[in-house]
């Protein structure tokens, strides 16, 4: 495990490499392969252009609110959550786990995770394939590309969480700022978050984007 503080590029951004072992990665993939996927026409969240699974709570992208509490995060992530807490990566226990699958040619549009709904730390664990996460501050256009290696966890707090959009391109091949070429294969990510409210107050735009615009597809 090695912590890389990226605060010089974007305040509040850090990356921990080798956060999990290869055996742990295999075990996580084994368990999600037993789970129910949604997205790509399948409810809940049929409109998503990638497959997802949610644990802890069910968040609806269409209605931009939490619809249901499922209960505790599953046993197969308990040791990972303990590691998150013992390394003080989150101020409060995560109560939402979002699993995203990106096959070749799939990505996620630049977005800010709804500030009114999710807590101050957003963590994302990368499995099976590396990718580049693109950060962009809409108020000044500042852009930073960060390589997320396989089995690393990226931590977004402060500016990185609230003032920068993050997204992942659909490109099959990407070049990192250091010249490293990343060949995208199937990537699965585990995003750990704390749900702090079930819906955005009606007079507030909780996602940092235009009203009625879909949240983060
Ligand atoms: O796949 C990732 O690492 C990021 C996912 C993400 O940003 C999200 O679902 O809000
Ligand atoms: Fe996000």
């Amino acid at each position: 495990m090695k912590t890389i503080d990226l605060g010089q590029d974007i305040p509040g951004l850090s990356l921990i490499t080798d956060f999990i072992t290869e055996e742990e990665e295999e075990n996580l993939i084994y368990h999600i392969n037993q789970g129910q996927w949604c997205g790509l026409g399948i409810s809940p969240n049929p409109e998503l252009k990638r497959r997802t699974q949610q644990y802890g709570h069910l968040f609806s992208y269409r209605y931009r609110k939490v619809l249901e509490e499922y209960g505790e995060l599953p046993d197969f992530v308990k040791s990972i959550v303990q590691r998150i807490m013992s390394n003080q990566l989150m101020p409060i226990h995560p109560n939402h786990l979002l699993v995203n699958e990106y096959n070749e040619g799939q990505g996620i549009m630049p977005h800010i995770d709804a500030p009114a709904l999710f807590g101050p730390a957003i963590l994302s664990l990368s499995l099976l394939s590396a990718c580049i996460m693109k950060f962009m501050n809409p108020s000044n256009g500042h852009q930073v590309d960060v390589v997320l290696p396989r089995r690393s966890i990226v931590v977004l707090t402060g500016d990185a969480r609230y003032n920068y959009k993050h997204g992942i391109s659909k490109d099959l091949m990407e070049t990192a700022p250091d010249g490293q070429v990343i060949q995208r294969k199937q990537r699965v990510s585990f995003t750990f978050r704390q749900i702090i409210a079930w819906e955005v107050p009606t007079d507030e735009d909780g996602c940092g984007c235009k009203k009625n615009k879909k949240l983060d597809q």
Side-chain angles (χ1 to χ4, degrees):
M1 228 162 62
K2 184 175 163 216
T3 302
I4 303 166
D5 183 358
L6 297 166
Q8 290 207 322
D9 295 317
I10 302 178
L13 184 63
S14 60
L15 178 74
I16 302 172
T17 55
D18 294 304
F19 190 71
I20 59 166
T21 64
E22 283 177 27
E23 292 72 42
E24 286 173 326
E25 178 187 46
E26 206 174 305
N27 188 48
L28 294 177
I29 295 294
Y30 169 81
H31 279 99
I32 57 154
N33 280 338
Q34 322 292 313
Q36 197 67 45
W37 292 98
C38 76
L40 298 174
I42 298 164
S43 282
N45 293 311
E47 64 277 14
L48 286 177
K49 297 190 185 77
R50 58 184 187 279
R51 295 203 304 170
T52 67
Q53 291 183 19
Q54 297 192 46
Y55 297 93
H57 287 77
L58 171 63
F59 174 75
S60 163
Y61 286 82
R62 176 179 296 271
Y63 301 109
R64 289 175 51 196
K65 63 180 182 184
V66 177
L67 297 181
E68 198 180 328
E69 181 172 355
Y70 290 144
E72 285 194 6
L73 294 190
D75 285 346
F76 65 86
V77 289
K78 285 264 152 77
S79 60
I80 313 291
V81 172
Q82 268 168 21
R83 203 168 302 159
I84 287 170
M85 297 313 288
S86 64
N87 284 278
Q88 301 182 336
L89 303 183
M90 273 186 128
I92 21 181
H93 230 263
N95 61 5
H96 187 229
L97 165 61
L98 169 66
V99 179
N100 276 304
E101 178 196 53
Y102 304 87
N103 284 312
E104 287 170 54
Q106 291 178 323
I108 186 165
M109 299 269 282
H111 65 278
I112 293 175
D113 291 26
L117 304 185
F118 302 108
I122 308 281
L123 272 57
S124 192
L125 181 65
S126 293
L127 307 178
L128 300 180
S129 176
C131 75
I132 290 180
M133 186 168 268
K134 291 177 173 293
F135 289 88
M136 203 274 282
N137 184 337
S139 70
N140 59 16
H142 181 230
Q143 231 173 305
V144 180
D145 286 0
V146 177
V147 176
L148 306 184
R150 181 174 178 178
R151 294 185 287 103
S152 70
I153 195 163
V154 68
V155 181
L156 279 62
T157 65
D159 254 15
R161 190 263 180 267
Y162 291 112
N163 297 328
Y164 279 74
K165 291 187 176 188
H166 56 276
I168 296 169
S169 86
K170 297 175 175 175
D171 297 346
L172 302 183
M173 209 152 77
E174 301 172 287
T175 306
D178 66 358
Q180 178 188 169
V181 174
I182 304 216
Q183 184 80 46
R184 285 270 290 283
K185 299 188 289 287
Q186 181 204 29
R187 172 176 178 268
V188 171
S189 66
F190 278 41
T191 299
F192 294 91
R193 300 185 282 203
Q194 170 75 29
I195 287 173
I196 55 172
W198 279 41
E199 60 188 295
V200 179
T202 45
D203 58 343
E204 195 185 318
D205 181 342
C207 69
C209 49
K210 281 198 211 97
K211 273 232 150 56
N212 300 327
K213 198 174 155 195
K214 279 180 250 154
L215 193 59
D216 56 2
Q217 297 176 52

Coordinates of all heavy atoms in Angstrom, one line a residue, residues 108 111 113 122 166 193 216, ligand 2:
I108 N -17.9 7.4 -18.1 CA -18.9 8.1 -17.3 C -18.7 9.6 -17.6 O -17.5 10.0 -17.6 CB -18.8 7.7 -15.8 CG1 -19.9 8.3 -15.0 CG2 -17.5 8.0 -15.2 CD1 -20.1 7.7 -13.6
H111 N -19.0 14.8 -13.9 CA -20.0 15.1 -13.0 C -19.4 15.4 -11.6 O -18.3 15.0 -11.3 CB -21.0 14.0 -12.9 CG -20.4 12.7 -12.3 ND1 -19.7 11.8 -13.1 CD2 -20.4 12.3 -11.0 CE1 -19.3 10.9 -12.3 NE2 -19.7 11.1 -11.0
D113 N -20.5 14.3 -7.7 CA -21.5 13.5 -7.0 C -22.3 14.4 -6.1 O -21.8 15.2 -5.4 CB -20.8 12.4 -6.1 CG -20.1 11.4 -7.0 OD1 -19.8 11.6 -8.1 OD2 -20.0 10.2 -6.4
I122 N -15.5 10.8 -1.2 CA -16.0 9.8 -2.2 C -14.8 8.9 -2.5 O -13.7 9.5 -2.9 CB -16.4 10.5 -3.5 CG1 -17.5 11.6 -3.2 CG2 -16.9 9.5 -4.5 CD1 -18.9 11.2 -3.0
H166 N -15.5 15.0 -12.2 CA -14.7 13.8 -12.6 C -15.4 13.0 -13.6 O -16.7 12.9 -13.6 CB -14.3 13.0 -11.4 CG -15.4 12.5 -10.5 ND1 -16.0 13.3 -9.6 CD2 -16.1 11.3 -10.5 CE1 -17.0 12.6 -9.0 NE2 -17.0 11.4 -9.6
R193 N -19.6 5.5 -0.5 CA -20.1 6.8 -0.2 C -20.9 6.8 1.1 O -21.4 5.7 1.5 CB -20.9 7.4 -1.3 CG -20.2 7.6 -2.6 CD -21.0 8.3 -3.7 NE -21.9 7.4 -4.3 CZ -22.5 7.6 -5.5 NH1 -22.1 8.7 -6.2 NH2 -23.4 6.8 -6.0
D216 N -25.5 11.7 -13.4 CA -24.1 11.4 -13.7 C -23.9 10.1 -14.6 O -23.4 9.1 -14.2 CB -23.2 11.2 -12.5 CG -23.7 10.2 -11.5 OD1 -24.7 9.6 -11.8 OD2 -23.1 10.1 -10.4
Ligands
LIG2 FE1 -18.7 10.2 -9.4

